[in-house]
């Protein structure tokens, strides 16, 4: 595989920081430049971050003296120096839409962690093991944008990264109804316990916009391409509750599901155990060797014990059993800033690179 020069747009935020650590020794992607808001632009990255480095791992040494560019004003320079960009900015939705389209129209592919384009009909929202075929919509998006190389591809919300991978291999049994309660870590809000002491010994039963995302986004992931757009799947019906809990990293989901054709517990476990996708078949650098790990112990998966399985890129499941109102219930866990955010975006970029979309 060739080496790609990449930029990180929104490099000073928590997801931007995570991108840096994941790309420090990446075999395909070389971090060429960093960009953020005008407040950070012109400073070295270390100075721009100040005391706001939020990860346990150290700031990569190569990034400390890099001069931060202005994500808006320096588009021409950025797009001339890189092959594509990762984007994780903290801006209003319309501003993000316009910014990402500006990069794409400058013939720079955008791998986005933002939600702004998740429901744009010709923008793929890819979980690489689940719907890699949605990359085919890029040719239609390029026609709309009038580009040869430029396009936008987004990753889904972190809240669905645990239970959607668990249900997706079971689609042949036609799930009809899903209830999912997610218990979401504070890093999903870009926080640590030091910066958010109110979360210690506390639960907040509301995360703005999260339940709508959790109920609608799976239907796009499970949708299909028709006439140049992605058409959402009509079923299953999904209802969710999303709750912020005092956990640093790791989103847990309690899931209840009904099927039109109910599989056995043994069959579900067998399917989970054997499931892999294109990232595993292509042996992509960030792909977990085993995508879904099932725990037979009653007290697993646990965030502290299991969120880092396979470098935080695998999904953990457990407590699969029959329910009195649904066919089955089970628990899932994913690392929200790795599989659910920066890591998922890096894996998506690897998939797109392997398929030639970044050439």
């Amino acid at each position: 595989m060739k080496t790609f020069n990449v930029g990180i747009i929104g490099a000073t935020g928590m997801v931007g920081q995570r991108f840096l650590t994941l790309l420090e020794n990446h075999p395909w992607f070389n971090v060429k430049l960093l960009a953020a808001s005008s407040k950070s632009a012109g400073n070295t990255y270390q100075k721009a971050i100040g005391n706001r480095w939020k990860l346990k791992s150290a700031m990569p040494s190569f990034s400390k003296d890099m001069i931060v560019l202005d994500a808006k004003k320096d588009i021409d320079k950025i797009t001339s120096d890189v092959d594509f960009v990762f984007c994780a900015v903290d801006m209003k939705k319309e501003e993000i839409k316009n910014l990402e389209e500006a990069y794409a129209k400058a013939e720079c592919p955008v791998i986005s962690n933002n939600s702004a384009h998740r429901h744009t009909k010709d923008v793929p929202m890819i979980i690489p093991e689940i719907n890699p075929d949605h990359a085919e919509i890029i040719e239609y998006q390029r026609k709309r944008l009038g580009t040869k190389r430029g396009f936008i591809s987004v990753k889904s919300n972190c809240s669905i990264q645990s239970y959607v991978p668990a249900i997706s291999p079971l689609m042949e049994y036609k799930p009809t109804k899903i209830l999912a309660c997610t218990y979401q870590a504070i890093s999903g809000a870009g926080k640590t316990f030091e910066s958010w002491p109110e979360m210690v010994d506390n639960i907040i039963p509301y995360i703005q916009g999260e339940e709508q995302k959790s109920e609608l986004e799976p239907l796009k992931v499970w949708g299909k391409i028709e006439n140049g757009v992605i058409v959402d799947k009509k079923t299953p019906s999904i209802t969710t509750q999303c709750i912020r809990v005092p956990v640093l990293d790791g989103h847990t989901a309690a899931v209840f599901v009904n099927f039109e054709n109910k599989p056995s517990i043994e069959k579900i476990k067998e399917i989970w155990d054997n499931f892999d996708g294109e990232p595993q078949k292509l042996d992509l650098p960030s792909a977990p060797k085993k995508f879904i790990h099932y725990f037979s112990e009653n007290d697993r998966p646990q965030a502290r014990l299991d969120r880092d399985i396979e470098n935080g890129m695998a999904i953990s499941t457990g407590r699969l059993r029959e329910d009195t109102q649904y066919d089955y219930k089970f628990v899932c866990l994913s690392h929200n800033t790795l599989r659910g955010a920066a890591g998922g975006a890096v894996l998506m970029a690897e998939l797109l690179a392997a398929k030639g979309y970044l050439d």
Side-chain angles (χ1 to χ4, degrees):
M1 176 60 66
K2 62 178 281 191
T3 300
F4 297 84
N5 287 327
V6 306
I8 301 174
I9 312 302
T12 55
M14 180 177 278
V15 176
Q17 294 173 24
R18 183 67 81 178
F19 274 126
L20 263 178
T21 61
L22 291 175
L23 296 173
E24 183 173 10
N25 297 301
H26 196 281
W28 298 358
F29 303 150
N30 170 55
V31 178
K32 181 77 171 179
L33 54 82
L34 307 174
S37 70
S38 57
K39 293 180 181 179
S40 298
N43 293 308
T44 65
Y45 184 69
Q46 188 170 33
K47 183 176 180 181
I49 289 290
N51 62 358
R52 294 181 295 115
W53 184 259
K54 298 180 179 181
L55 306 183
K56 293 180 181 179
S57 53
M59 180 185 295
S61 58
F62 77 87
S63 66
K64 292 180 180 180
D65 294 325
M66 294 179 74
I67 301 299
V68 178
L69 301 179
D70 189 309
K72 289 184 177 180
K73 295 180 180 179
D74 294 329
I75 289 179
D76 289 344
K77 173 175 175 51
I78 293 168
T79 56
S80 66
D81 286 349
V82 300
D83 296 304
F84 70 93
V85 296
F86 291 104
C87 189
V89 294
D90 183 10
M91 299 163 57
K92 293 180 180 178
K93 191 171 184 177
E94 282 304 311
E95 291 180 306
I96 295 173
K97 278 188 172 183
N98 294 335
L99 184 72
E100 292 183 342
E101 285 209 358
Y103 277 90
K105 288 179 178 178
E107 299 294 359
C108 181
V110 178
I111 309 301
S112 177
N113 188 72
N114 304 303
S115 66
H117 276 291
R118 286 181 190 158
H119 293 291
T120 302
K121 291 296 185 180
D122 59 5
V123 171
M125 181 168 63
I126 297 174
I127 300 176
E129 285 87 352
I130 306 304
N131 60 333
D133 57 305
H134 281 198
E136 295 170 12
I137 198 70
I138 289 171
E139 65 176 286
Y140 296 98
Q141 185 192 150
R142 283 173 168 162
K143 290 178 182 178
R144 174 176 65 83
L145 295 175
T147 61
K148 293 182 178 180
R149 285 191 73 249
F151 66 89
I152 302 162
S153 185
V154 300
K155 58 158 291 297
S156 67
N157 193 49
C158 55
S159 66
I160 76 169
Q161 295 281 338
S162 52
Y163 67 87
V164 165
I167 292 173
S168 294
L170 308 175
M171 294 303 285
E172 65 180 292
Y173 297 100
K174 299 181 179 179
T176 58
K177 187 165 65 170
I178 298 167
L179 184 157
C181 294
T182 62
Y183 305 92
Q184 301 186 202
I186 63 173
S187 57
K191 304 286 188 179
T192 63
F193 287 114
E194 289 74 20
S195 64
W196 201 4
E198 296 85 357
M199 274 307 303
V200 177
D201 190 32
N202 196 20
I203 287 175
I204 299 176
Y206 174 70
I207 305 172
Q208 185 175 2
E210 203 79 351
E211 287 163 4
Q212 183 182 29
K213 295 173 186 176
S214 300
E215 292 170 0
L216 295 179
E217 290 185 16
L219 300 176
K220 181 173 182 178
V221 171
W222 291 327
K224 59 183 178 180
I225 298 173
E226 291 182 357
N227 301 316
V229 298
I230 298 172
V231 178
D232 292 359
K233 203 172 187 303
K234 299 300 183 185
T235 56
S237 64
I238 305 172
T239 185
T240 66
Q241 283 204 118
C242 298
I243 300 169
R244 189 73 70 192
V245 296
V247 171
L248 181 59
D249 293 310
H251 287 356
T252 299
V255 186
F256 303 76
V257 58
N258 274 342
F259 295 94
E260 185 175 317
N261 303 311
K262 181 181 176 182
S264 68
I265 286 179
E266 292 72 22
K267 188 63 178 178
I268 292 173
K269 290 180 180 179
E270 177 188 341
I271 290 172
W272 283 347
D273 187 54
N274 293 323
F275 180 75
D276 61 10
E278 286 199 38
Q280 287 72 40
K281 293 169 184 173
L282 294 170
D283 196 25
L284 298 179
S286 299
K289 298 301 180 185
K290 185 176 179 61
F291 184 39
I292 300 175
H293 292 249
Y294 182 79
F295 288 93
S296 59
E297 298 91 336
N298 286 330
D299 60 351
R300 304 281 289 277
Q302 294 182 26
R304 287 181 63 179
L305 297 178
D306 305 314
R307 61 193 170 201
D308 292 319
I309 288 177
E310 302 222 32
N311 298 314
M313 292 298 289
I315 305 300
S316 299
T317 61
R319 301 207 69 210
L320 173 63
R321 60 216 190 276
E322 291 192 326
D323 182 62
T324 58
Q325 298 182 40
Y326 287 76
D327 287 335
Y328 294 112
K329 54 189 172 185
F330 54 89
V331 174
C332 300
L333 170 70
S334 62
H335 195 303
N336 56 295
T337 69
L338 290 171
R339 168 57 74 163
V346 171
L347 184 61
M348 176 169 59
E350 293 169 359
L351 176 73
L352 295 172
K355 288 178 170 290
Y357 288 101
L358 299 178
D359 291 344

